[in-house]
Amino acid sequence: MIEEVDAYDLLLHGIRGDLQRLENGDSLMIPPLGPVVTVEGMVRRPAVYELRNEKTLLDVLDLSGGILPAAALRHIEVQRLVAHEKRTMVERPNISDTSDSESSSLANERL
C-alpha cells in the first residue's frame, strides 16, 4: 500500500497537494460499507452517509453540511429500520442531547 486516503474527505473537500496521483494500472482497495444513515429534507447535502464516529443527530446533521435557513427544527422525523424490514418512528425533540440512549445508535435511520 502506498497511501491511505479518506474517500469522503476527498469527495467533499477535493484533492490536497500532498496526495499521490493515480496512474494507469493502480488499484484501489475499498473496505465494505459500515453502518449508514440516510439524511433527507432541508439540509445542504441530502444523501446516505456511512457512520464512523458520529453518535448524535447533531453529528449527522454536520455530515450533511448543516441545515438550511428555512428548516423547521421543531419537526424532525426519524425512521428507524428494524431487522431490515420494519420501520418505526423515533421522537427526537432535542438534536444535541447525548444523554438519550437512542441517540447512541443512528445506524439504519432515515432522517
Side-chain angles (χ1 to χ4, degrees):
M1 176 167 48
I2 295 176
E3 186 169 3
E4 187 171 319
V5 176
D6 183 343
Y8 291 112
D9 186 47
L10 183 65
L11 290 172
L12 292 175
H13 302 110
I15 298 174
R16 299 185 323 252
D18 61 338
L19 289 178
Q20 300 268 340
R21 286 200 173 280
L22 288 175
E23 302 288 336
N24 283 338
D26 285 352
S27 296
L28 299 175
M29 295 174 39
I30 301 172
L33 188 62
V36 296
V37 62
T38 302
V39 182
E40 300 173 332
M42 300 296 283
V43 294
R44 296 190 190 284
R45 291 186 305 267
V48 177
Y49 293 94
E50 183 176 17
L51 296 174
R52 293 179 290 178
N53 297 319
E54 295 78 18
K55 300 289 184 205
T56 67
L57 182 55
L58 191 57
D59 292 339
V60 172
L61 289 174
D62 283 344
L63 270 180
S64 66
I67 58 172
L68 295 174
L73 291 179
R74 290 187 204 125
H75 183 74
I76 298 175
E77 290 183 6
V78 178
Q79 293 181 5
R80 179 170 289 159
L81 183 61
V82 180
H84 300 289
E85 56 188 50
K86 179 182 165 190
R87 292 190 187 276
T88 61
M89 292 298 290
V90 178
E91 193 67 32
R92 297 264 190 197
N94 186 350
I95 65 170
S96 61
D97 184 9
T98 58
S99 63
D100 178 10
S101 63
E102 286 188 316
S103 66
S104 64
S105 176
L106 291 170
N108 299 318
E109 289 191 355
R110 180 179 298 270
L111 309 174

